[in-house]
Amino acid sequence: MVPLKKLGLPIISYKCFPPLPFPFTAVSGLEIGADDYIVKPFNPNILVARITGHLRRSKLTAATDAVRRKDSQWWRHGRLEVNLGAYEVRVNGEVVAMYAKEKQPLTFFIENPNQVFSVGQLYDRIWGWDRESDERTVMVHIRNLRKKIEEDPGHPRYVVTVRGFGYKFCLE
C-alpha cells in the first residue's frame, strides 16, 4: 500500500462524534502528516473549497516529476528545462533560441500539464482578444515548438495532438 503523501494527495482529517477510542487532536493529526483539519459538523461547501485549494497547490508536484530549484524559477522534466521567470529554455542542457510566441504556449502547457486544450482555447488564452491572425497560428507555433523541444517532432513526447480536439502537454 502506497502512503497518500507519496502520491502527492492532500490529507484532511476531521473530528467526529462519538469520540474515537484513542486520543486524537487537531495538533496530533497535523503532526502525523495531515494538511488540514476540520471539525464536524461542517459546511460541505467549505470542505469542497478546502479540498480544491489543496489540490490546486499540489497540482504540479502531484502531476509531474518536475523539480523546482528553491533559488530560481526553473522547471524540469526529463530533457526539458524552462526558467519561467527569464523565459530561458534548455533541451539536454543546451539553450534553445525561441520566439516569445513559442515560449508562451510552452509556459501555458507547463502550468496546465496533462490537460487537453482545443486550438480555439489555446488561441484565446495565449493570443487573447487582440489578435490579427487566425487559429492556424496556433498550429504553426506548436509545430515550431515541437521542432525545438522534441527529440522526434514527428512523434512528439511532450506536445501531443489529441485527434479531433487539440493539444495536450504530456508529462506521464
Side-chain angles (χ1 to χ4, degrees):
M1 181 181 213
V2 177
L4 291 177
K5 277 292 184 187
K6 289 200 177 191
L7 295 175
L9 298 173
I11 299 171
I12 300 175
S13 61
Y14 65 93
K15 183 164 182 153
C16 58
F17 295 98
L20 298 171
F22 54 88
F24 183 84
T25 65
V27 173
S28 65
L30 294 168
E31 284 176 346
I32 62 171
D35 296 301
D36 202 349
Y37 181 82
I38 192 165
V39 178
K40 283 177 86 176
F42 49 81
N43 180 326
N45 293 331
I46 291 175
L47 178 62
V48 169
R50 285 182 172 191
I51 291 170
T52 302
H54 284 291
L55 290 173
R56 183 178 52 250
R57 284 187 292 277
S58 65
K59 180 171 73 172
L60 260 182
T61 56
T64 72
D65 297 330
V67 177
R68 288 184 183 263
R69 294 185 198 160
K70 291 182 181 176
D71 60 336
S72 66
Q73 295 184 15
W74 282 95
W75 175 92
R76 290 184 186 169
H77 189 273
R79 58 194 290 274
L80 185 61
E81 296 177 86
V82 180
N83 184 322
L84 298 169
Y87 278 115
E88 182 180 326
V89 179
R90 294 180 185 179
V91 177
N92 291 327
E94 300 285 325
V95 175
V96 177
M98 286 191 174
Y99 292 104
K101 286 300 179 191
E102 293 166 343
K103 292 176 187 173
Q104 287 172 339
L106 179 59
T107 302
F108 177 79
F109 281 133
I110 287 170
E111 292 169 353
N112 299 281
N114 301 315
Q115 296 179 46
V116 180
F117 294 96
S118 70
V119 171
Q121 288 173 317
L122 291 170
Y123 190 64
D124 288 340
R125 293 182 185 192
I126 296 166
W127 280 263
W129 296 105
D130 283 339
R131 44 189 160 183
E132 297 178 13
S133 55
D134 60 34
E135 291 181 356
R136 287 178 292 193
T137 300
V138 174
M139 293 181 276
V140 169
H141 287 290
I142 294 292
R143 186 177 64 235
N144 292 338
L145 177 61
R146 283 177 172 163
K147 286 179 186 176
K148 294 180 179 184
I149 68 168
E150 300 284 359
E151 274 185 283
D152 180 4
H155 298 91
R157 177 185 184 273
Y158 289 112
V159 183
V160 176
T161 301
V162 177
R163 214 173 271 271
F165 193 75
Y167 299 98
K168 166 174 135 169
F169 192 64
C170 290
L171 297 178
E172 298 162 344

